[in-house]
Amino acid sequence: MSTPLTQQETKENSSLPGPVGERAEKRTGRRSWPGSLDWRDFAIYIGFVVVFALFAVMLRDDGFLQPGNLLNIVRQTAIIAIMAVAGTFVIAAAQIDLSIGATAGLASVVTAMTISSSDSWVLGVLSGLAAGAVVGAINGSLVALVRLPSFLVTLAMMGVAIGVAQWMSGFQP
């Protein structure tokens, strides 16, 4: 809970909107938004543009900028991006999920095996989602209801999910 501003602090912050100003600058060591832009706020975007430009120049003859290749890059990173967003929520809750990759692998195996045995992609997708939901429900129940540490629960579930996926696929790589 924040404390009310004194008259002096209100006067100091009056030139900037909201509770920013000298207090924010003293706390962070950086000027706030109305003053100037700080390149550190955009470092990840700058890095992405630099790496993308580097690959575009170095691989221009190999078709790096072709629409098919760019679509392939987006397809390959979509799954990781979805898992990263989910992981962000877990970390924001001060927890950790070590089983997210193994759960995705198990869901993929369940989906592929269901599609190959039933020839129904709808049933395959639903079964893969159900497998992920079951793993998530078990993890969530053990952490929230039994109060076990999420590190231990998800570490154990990672081994279980990998083992079940290997067992289901007949220990095929």
Side-chain angles (χ1 to χ4, degrees), residues 2 4 8 15 22 26 33 38 42-43 45 48 77 81 84 86 90 93 97 123-124 127 142-143 146 172:
S2 63
Q8 179 64 26
S15 63
E22 284 187 26
K26 287 177 185 174
W33 171 258
D38 188 1
F42 302 100
Y45 304 112
F48 172 75
T77 59
V90 173
D97 187 356
L123 188 60
S127 64
L142 290 173
V143 171
V146 183
Q172 301 284 328

Side-chain angles (χ1 to χ4, degrees), residues 41-153:
D41 293 336
F42 302 100
I44 191 75
Y45 304 112
I46 294 168
F48 172 75
V49 169
V50 167
V51 169
F52 188 84
L54 183 70
F55 277 109
V57 170
M58 291 176 59
L59 300 174
R60 68 180 172 272
D61 295 333
D62 296 331
F64 179 75
L65 293 176
Q66 296 297 320
N69 184 54
L70 296 176
L71 184 61
N72 191 27
I73 291 170
V74 170
R75 284 181 184 152
Q76 290 178 2
T77 59
I79 295 170
I80 295 171
I82 291 169
M83 290 190 302
V85 169
T88 301
F89 288 115
V90 173
I91 291 172
Q95 299 294 325
I96 191 162
D97 187 356
L98 302 175
S99 67
I100 191 167
T103 302
L106 174 63
S108 298
V109 168
V110 168
T111 300
M113 293 189 75
T114 304
I115 290 173
S116 69
S117 66
S118 70
D119 290 330
S120 170
W121 67 269
V122 174
L123 188 60
V125 169
L126 290 175
S127 64
L129 288 173
V134 166
V135 170
I138 292 170
N139 283 345
S141 297
L142 290 173
V143 171
L145 300 176
V146 183
R147 303 258 187 227
L148 293 174
S150 62
F151 181 85
L152 296 177
V153 169

Side-chain angles (χ1 to χ4, degrees), residues 3-7 9-10 13 19 23:
T3 59
L5 296 175
T6 64
Q7 287 181 343
E9 287 175 323
T10 305
N13 296 332
R23 287 189 320 152

